[in-house]
Each structure stands twice: as structure tokens, then as C-alpha cells.
């Protein structure tokens, strides 16, 4: 039996490429649809190094109905994991129409194409940002939406559109995954996050300071009403997030209707706690300066992770120390990102295997290197 094919829109990006690894490990064959505007096709070579399987790449825009029809016709797709979209909050404030176009029109075009193709199992990449900043933590899925920027509103609107669709047509099985703060990298050091320019997000910024690429971290505010005064978030390992997609896919394929699930650990960590964990993982001191609060930042929030466990049988397994250790391994092994070489592979053979003895990079068939 050939492996069931899953269309992964945005599959060459940070979360997408890790999701491809998790899908392949679970016995699926990802078909990636990506414009590569914000990602790099070489991430899929790294997926092949880890798993022995390189996902097929369809270079196309998720708004392109004809390209979607061709992809569904060519690949006998069983289900879709939809991650393609724009995700920078500040950019969404400056260019709302661009965000509504890609995120909203893209999801609409995709849902229509799925319907035409008779593929009605969908996992949608949503965000904790749909909750806004007025809920006490931990935040459960039933908390009302209150997004505070155009990016968040696009995610909230797509969720509403999909809820309407599932009410109208019970053949659909849909899971919306609300990510908290995905960080880290694959434990092999072969796959990780590649920010475009100076990172906006905390973990990649710290990682570049540890590597000596940046002088110091600016802590955006140390006068919040939190234990140490710095912002608190629910950081979740990207491989846990990736595995959450597989769990959601199983659920959506089995059960019609729509499900919302938080992907978080259920615990918050402050900026200073993340800095300390990264210092432990890297053995380097992270220089920092306290700056003003960043406009739009909430002081503290974290997930109520119980529903994801109940409904998906998923919970985060990797802790903050592992998130930092894996980020650091990726940073050290790839100072030039995907420009750094990886050993050549025999097609179909994996370079990485995580076994009981720890983390190894080696052949799983004895003849991987050529
Ligand atoms: N921070 C710093 N210095 C930095 C970067 C971040 O102190 O250089 C702090 C922030 O103020 C915040 C914490 O680190 O307290 C986390 O900030 P991130 O930018 O890493 O993450 P956010 O929580 O701001 O944003 C994330 C996603 C967004 C999403 C948002 C809400 O990156 O896409 O969560 O869900 F919209």
C-alpha cells in the first residue's frame, strides 16, 4: 500500500518542514505546496536527510485555484494540512490587505478546491493570537475571540469560515490548531528556523546573540506584573507542534465536524527564564539590555493544554531545556543556514535516527553515504 498523500501548504517553512518530518514518520507522504516566498526548498532536502523521504514540491500559490486543482488531480491527496500564510504582526498592521488576501483568500481558495476534489479533511494552522490579550491564563479553547491586529483577525476569520463550512456540510472533518510560541529545531540539528533578517522573535534572537552574530538581546520591558517583570509566554517545541498536526489529522479524518485545539505546554516562561535556559544549553553568556515595552505585547499568557490531550491524545513532551538545546544545535551546525552542506545521501535512506542511546547522525541502512 503506498503511503497516503497529505497536501501540506507552506510545507517548506519552519513549522511546515518539521510537520513533514512528523507526517513521514507517521507513515504519510507529504506533498508540499509552497511559493517559497518566505521559505527555502532546501528545507525539504533536510527532511530527506532525517527521514529518507523527500517530499514532492509543487511551487504554487495557495490562492491559485487552477494550480490547486492540478495538484489535487496529480497527487491523489487524502487530506490537507494548511500552513501557508503570512505571520508577522507588525507587517499585518502596515499591509492589512496583503494579509487578508494571502491568509483569508488563500484559505477560501483552498477550501473550494478541496471541495471540488472531494477532499474534506483539513488541519488548519491557527494561532493563540485569536484570543487577544484580555483573557486570564491558562486560556482554554472556549475563550471568546478578541484578536488585536489584522494578522490575528485573519486567523480568527478563517476559523469562523471553517466552522460555517462544517455546519453546512457534515462530510468535512476539520481541526484548527492554535499555536502558542513554537520554538526549537529538529533534534538532529539538520532542520530549524531561518529568520529573514534580524529576528523578531525571542528564541532565534537569543540564539544569534549566543553565536556572536548579535551583540546583545533587548528585553522588551521588565516592568510587567509578572514574577521577574518580563513577558511570559508558552513556548512549545516545534517537533511537539509538528506531532500535534499528525494527531489532529487522525482526529479530523475519523470524526466529522470541527475541533479547536491549543498547541502549548500549559506552562509559561519569562524572557529571563528563557535566557537562563539558553545559557545552560549553550554554555555561553547572553548579554542583555532592558528596553521599553514592545507596543502590542501582552504581559503574560499560556495555554490550557488539557483539551488537546482529551480530544487529540496529544501533549507537549519536550521541555524548555530541550527547546534551547535543539535551537543551539541547529545554530551551531548551520551558521549559514541551508547554505551549509549536509552529507550526500543514497535516495530513500535516512541520515538521522534518534534511538534509545541518544541522538545520532548516522545511516540506518549501513550504506547511506556516497
Ligand atoms: N522579546 C524580547 N526581546 C526580543 C523579542 C521578544 O524581550 O528581541 C519578548 C517579547 O516582548 C515577549 C516574548 O519575548 O514577551 C516573546 O516574544 P516573541 O516575539 O518571540 O513572540 P510573541 O509572543 O510576541 O509572538 C508570537 C508569534 C506571533 C503571534 C503571537 C501571538 O510570533 O506570530 O505569538 O500568538 F501572533
Amino acid at each position: 500500500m503506498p503511503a497516503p498523500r497529505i497536501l501540506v501548504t507552506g510545507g517548506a517553512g519552519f513549522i511546515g518542514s518539521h510537520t513533514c518530518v512528523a507526517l513521514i514518520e507517521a507513515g504519510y507522504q507529504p506533498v508540499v505546496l509552497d511559493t517559497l516566498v518566505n521559505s527555502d526548498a532546501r528545507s525539504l532536502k533536510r527532511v530527506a536527510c532525517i527521514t529518507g523521504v523527500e517530499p514532492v514540491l509543487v511551487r504554487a500559490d495557495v490562492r491559485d485555484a487552477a494550480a490547486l486543482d492540478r495538484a489535487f488531480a496529480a497527487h491523489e491527496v487524502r487530506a490537507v494540512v494548511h500552513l501557508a500564510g503570512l505571520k508577522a504582526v507588525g507587517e499585518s498592521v502596515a499591509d492589512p490587505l496583503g494579509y487578508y488576501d494571502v491568509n483569508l483568500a488563500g484559505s477560501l481558495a483552498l477550501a473550494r478546491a478541496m471541495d471540488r476534489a472531494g477532499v474534506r479533511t483539513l488541519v488548519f494552522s491557527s494561532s493563540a493570537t485569536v484570543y487577544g490579550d484580555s483573557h486570564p491564563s491558562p486560556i482554554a479553547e472556549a475563550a471568546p475571540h478578541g484578536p488585536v491586529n489584522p494578522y490575528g483577525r485573519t486567523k480568527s476569520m478563517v476559523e469562523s469560515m471553517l466552522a460555517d463550512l462544517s455546519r453546512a456540510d457534515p462530510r468535512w472533518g476539520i481541526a484548527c490548531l492554535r499555536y502558542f510560541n513554537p520554538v526549537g529545531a529538529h533534534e538532529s540539528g539538520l532542520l530549524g528556523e531561518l529568520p529573514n533578517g534580524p529576528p523578531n522573535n525571542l528564541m532565534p534572537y537569543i540564539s544569534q546573540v549566543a553565536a556572536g552574530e548579535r551583540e546583545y538581546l533587548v528585553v522588551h520591558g521588565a516592568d510587567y506584573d509578572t514574577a521577574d517583570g518580563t513577558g511570559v509566554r508558552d513556548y512549545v517545541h516545534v517537533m511537539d507542534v509538528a506531532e500535534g498536526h499528525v494527531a489532529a489529522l487522525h482526529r479530523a479524518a475519523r470524526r466529522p465536524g470541527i475541533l479547536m485545539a491549543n498547541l502549548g505546554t500549559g506552562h509559561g516562561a519569562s524572557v529571563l527564564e528563557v535566557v537562563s535556559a539558553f545559557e545552560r544549553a549553550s554554555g555561553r553568556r547572553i548579554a542583555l539590555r532592558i528596553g521599553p515595552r514592545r507596543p502590542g505585547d501582552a504581559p503574560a499568557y499560556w495555554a490550557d493544554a488539557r483539551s488537546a490531550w482529551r480530544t487529540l491524545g496529544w501533549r507537549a513532551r519536550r521541555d524548555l531545556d530541550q527547546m534551547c538545546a535543539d535551537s543551539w544545535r541547529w545554530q551551531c551546525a548551520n551558521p549559514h543556514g541551508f547554505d551549509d552542506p549536509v552529507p550526500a545521501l543514497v535516495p530513500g535512506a535516512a541520515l538521522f535516527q534518534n534511538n534509545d542511546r541518544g541522538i545520532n547522525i548516522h545511516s540506518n541502512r549501513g550504506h547511506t553515504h556516497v
Side-chain angles (χ1 to χ4, degrees):
M1 268 265 290
R5 292 193 188 142
I6 310 298
L7 187 73
V8 184
T9 76
F14 172 48
I15 297 175
S17 55
H18 289 81
T19 297
C20 286
V21 169
L23 284 168
I24 292 165
E25 283 171 349
Y28 296 101
Q29 165 79 56
V31 175
V32 167
L33 186 130
D34 203 305
T35 57
L36 304 180
V37 164
N38 248 334
S39 57
D40 192 314
R42 290 173 294 178
S43 65
L44 302 180
K45 302 265 179 232
R46 301 298 184 96
V47 170
C49 289
I50 294 167
T51 62
V53 178
E54 184 171 341
V56 173
L57 172 65
V58 178
R59 194 167 177 177
D61 194 301
V62 76
R63 293 165 295 179
D64 182 344
L68 289 171
D69 286 343
R70 282 195 299 275
F72 282 112
H75 295 289
E76 286 181 49
V77 168
R78 291 266 188 93
V80 177
V81 177
H82 176 34
L83 303 113
L86 300 174
K87 59 167 190 174
V89 172
E91 191 182 65
S92 80
V93 175
D95 178 23
L97 296 184
Y99 270 67
Y100 285 105
D101 193 15
V102 173
N103 291 4
L104 201 52
S107 301
L108 175 58
L110 176 67
R112 281 194 184 286
M114 288 177 68
D115 209 36
R116 285 194 293 278
V119 177
R120 297 188 181 86
T121 301
L122 173 64
V123 176
F124 172 59
S125 150
S126 189
S127 166
T129 196
V130 300
Y131 296 120
D133 53 12
S134 59
H135 301 296
S137 288
I139 306 178
E141 287 80 352
H145 285 202
V148 294
N149 54 58
Y151 163 68
R153 278 188 277 279
T154 64
K155 292 290 178 190
S156 175
M157 285 178 185
V158 173
E159 283 196 6
S160 299
M161 178 181 85
L162 296 175
D164 286 338
L165 175 61
S166 102
R167 270 189 288 272
D169 185 343
R171 290 173 297 177
W172 283 80
I174 302 171
C176 297
L177 301 180
R178 296 175 178 162
Y179 311 154
F180 279 69
N181 287 58
V183 297
H186 189 266
E187 59 199 332
S188 62
L190 289 164
L191 197 56
E193 188 170 11
L194 268 190
N196 257 339
N200 284 319
N201 297 117
L202 181 65
M203 187 72 91
Y205 206 103
I206 292 179
S207 183
Q208 293 188 4
V209 173
E213 287 177 26
R214 301 192 184 274
E215 216 182 323
Y216 54 85
L217 170 78
V218 178
V219 177
H220 297 319
D223 57 351
Y224 286 111
D225 186 16
T226 58
D228 63 22
T230 65
V232 169
R233 296 290 184 275
D234 188 337
Y235 298 94
V236 53
H237 196 292
V238 64
M239 280 310 297
D240 279 325
V241 170
E243 288 161 12
H245 290 74
V246 175
L249 186 66
H250 289 155
R251 158 86 187 205
R254 272 199 320 268
R255 288 232 215 160
I258 188 163
L259 172 90
M260 312 298 175
N262 286 339
L263 294 191
T265 62
H267 307 286
S270 73
V271 173
L272 296 182
E273 284 171 331
V274 177
V275 168
S276 298
F278 210 99
E279 288 183 333
R280 281 197 300 277
S282 64
R284 304 266 175 106
R285 213 187 126 258
I286 312 294
L288 50 85
R289 294 193 186 168
I290 307 296
R293 293 182 178 191
R294 188 169 63 175
D297 267 358
Y301 62 86
W302 58 93
D304 183 331
R306 290 173 300 178
S307 173
W309 176 240
R310 258 194 327 269
T311 56
L312 303 178
W314 173 91
R315 66 177 154 210
R317 294 186 293 130
R318 299 157 176 95
D319 64 10
L320 186 59
D321 286 333
Q322 186 167 355
M323 298 177 215
C324 294
D326 291 339
S327 289
W328 182 235
R329 189 177 299 108
W330 158 250
Q331 175 75 43
C332 293
N334 307 270
H336 311 101
F338 293 127
D339 290 340
D340 289 303
V342 287
L345 282 175
V346 169
L351 183 65
F352 171 80
Q353 197 174 45
N354 180 13
N355 57 29
D356 294 340
R357 283 162 285 141
I359 294 160
N360 291 303
I361 303 236
H362 67 129
S363 157
N364 69 351
R365 297 184 189 175
H367 58 263
T368 359
H369 298 100
V370 288

